[in-house]
Amino acid sequence: MYRPVTATRTSLPVWMIALVVFGVLAILGIIIGLLVHFLAVENRTYYYQGSFKVVNIPYDSNYERETSPESNYLSKILENKMVDAFQSSSLYRQYINSQVIKLVPDNSGVTAQIWLIFKAPRSVKAGTRTRIESILHQMLKNHSGSLTTDPNSLRLMEISKVDAEKITNNRCGRRARMSATYDRIKGGSTAQEGEWPWQASLKKNGQHYCGASLISDRYLVTAAHCFKKTNNPKNYTVSFGTKVNPPYMQHYVQKIIIHEDYILGEHHDDIAVILLTENIPFKNDVHRVCLPEASQIILPGEGAVVTGWGALFYDGAYPVLLQKAPVKIIDTNSCNAEEAYNGEVQDTMLCAGYMEGNIDACQGDSGGPLVYPNFRNIWYLVGIVSWGDECGKINKPGVYTRVTAYRNWIASKTGI
Ligand code: ARG
């Protein structure tokens, strides 16, 4: 018999339809939300590499040396020009950073190799390279000041993050991704990964013994007194990274060159270089510091940072993670005052710390770096932790080997 029941069965109850519609709408909403997020809201970082030419500069080989004052001054001028150009452009929100990586002089001028970072949502990114190019082109056309730049020499291309990092890691004294923050050795605070990529731990029979600084892919500098017990390379290893124990990776020592005028038990000429058995590939958290020129003047009052795994206070405990402490350069005269070191500080040494005491390097920091950033925020090794009367005592700041005084000695031993 005919029963019209199925018809009523096929129409779903209203609540169920509402539920289905609601579910579909919710899923659609999530998908649209995610799309908007990834395409229009979430920022991605883009890296670019390029070059342009400054034409009215006579050939000067000093531009070939990355640490020369000539290189730093010209680079700074060009870097300022780039910051100004991008910050007053329509890309000012996307602009993160721009740097001169290298200068290449020739008979018709100096070519500047540059490196840029921008941040933009995917949807906005299209056309960014052309926009950057046109901003730089305009900048090169405007000859403000005495420099003449050639807009037609401009080259620009997008590169990967890995290649961008490679470029900075190959230059001295730069950090891959760092905004240095001092929150809190003695009176210091824990360093972040990659903050002091040149810092090495020199280990004697596997135990941290001294600090050292990487100055090339094979050489380090440290203190001569670190080898007072033995200078057999076989007894030493070198490690990097913020954690001293267990080390992330060990490197072996081929040769130890101690300053020929260093005398055991005395403080002068406290410097040595270490040659590793193999070249180290540079990475974000392992690369070299810049060496200052012999003629560089280190001004008293300037801020510097000392880093190491040394004792947290005199005769105290040792940290596992690398410590950093902000210090100030102290002039040799005050450091030689009667109540201070009473004439013991020679002009091949450098005092840094505070006459009031408290923040200082300590035992186990020896051989490690005292660094400061120049006006381009590039880090230079100005001192090597050498000696002091205990740690952080009033009127007894840290005394360091003055690197500028040994710059030529380092060159004569390493070719760097
Ligand atoms: N000579 C000590 C060492 O072997 C470090 C001296 C640094 N002292 C200081 N107060 N800054 O580790």
Side-chain angles (χ1 to χ4, degrees), residues 263-276:
I263 297 171
L264 241 166
E266 293 184 19
H267 292 321
H268 60 86
D269 304 301
D270 192 7
I271 184 170
V273 295
I274 298 169
L275 175 66
L276 299 175

Side-chain angles (χ1 to χ4, degrees), residues 185-186 208-211 223 225-226 228 267 270 306 310-311 314 318 341 352 359-368 384-393 396-400:
I185 317 192
K186 185 173 177 352
H208 172 81
Y209 193 64
C210 266
H225 82 257
C226 292
K228 62 181 162 217
H267 292 321
D270 192 7
V306 58
Y314 189 64
Y318 286 79
Y341 286 119
I359 301 176
D360 193 7
C362 205
Q363 303 143 299
D365 286 321
S366 279
I384 299 165
V385 178
S386 180
W387 60 279
D389 182 354
E390 297 188 6
C391 311
K393 284 212 307 195
K396 309 288 176 182
V399 189
Y400 297 77

Side-chain angles (χ1 to χ4, degrees), residues 170-181:
N170 270 318
R171 312 309 291 166
C172 69
R174 306 196 192 219
R175 291 158 164 178
R177 47 177 138 79
M178 242 24 265
S179 53
T181 47

Side-chain angles (χ1 to χ4, degrees), residues 16-28:
M16 214 181 240
I17 294 172
L19 203 70
V20 169
V21 169
F22 180 78
V24 168
L25 283 179
I27 290 169
L28 263 175

Side-chain angles (χ1 to χ4, degrees), residues 217-257:
D217 59 0
R218 196 132 172 223
Y219 278 106
L220 299 106
V221 288
T222 185
H225 82 257
C226 292
F227 305 104
K228 62 181 162 217
K229 298 241 169 72
T230 160
N231 62 1
N232 181 351
K234 292 212 164 57
N235 292 330
Y236 295 92
T237 53
V238 166
S239 74
F240 295 90
T242 55
K243 206 154 144 264
V244 74
N245 235 331
Y248 166 61
M249 202 176 165
Q250 303 240 65
H251 300 272
Y252 298 94
V253 176
Q254 180 168 322
K255 200 158 116 191
I256 294 163
I257 306 168

Side-chain angles (χ1 to χ4, degrees), residues 4-82:
V5 177
T6 45
T8 49
R9 272 223 189 122
T10 50
S11 70
L12 291 163
V14 177
W15 66 267
M16 214 181 240
I17 294 172
L19 203 70
V20 169
V21 169
F22 180 78
V24 168
L25 283 179
I27 290 169
L28 263 175
I30 290 171
I31 290 173
I32 292 172
L34 284 174
L35 275 176
V36 168
H37 179 74
F38 284 118
L39 292 177
V41 180
E42 193 200 45
N43 276 328
R44 281 201 45 199
T45 311
Y46 298 99
Y47 302 85
Y48 302 86
Q49 176 189 17
S51 64
F52 59 79
K53 191 145 191 179
V54 187
V55 284
N56 61 339
I57 296 182
Y59 178 80
D60 185 342
S61 63
N62 286 323
Y63 290 120
E64 277 160 17
R65 252 187 5 267
E66 61 182 324
T67 53
S68 71
E70 290 82 359
S71 287
N72 274 309
Y73 285 121
L74 180 56
S75 299
K76 185 67 184 173
I77 292 171
L78 300 174
E79 282 167 349
N80 284 345
K81 267 169 98 75
M82 289 196 283

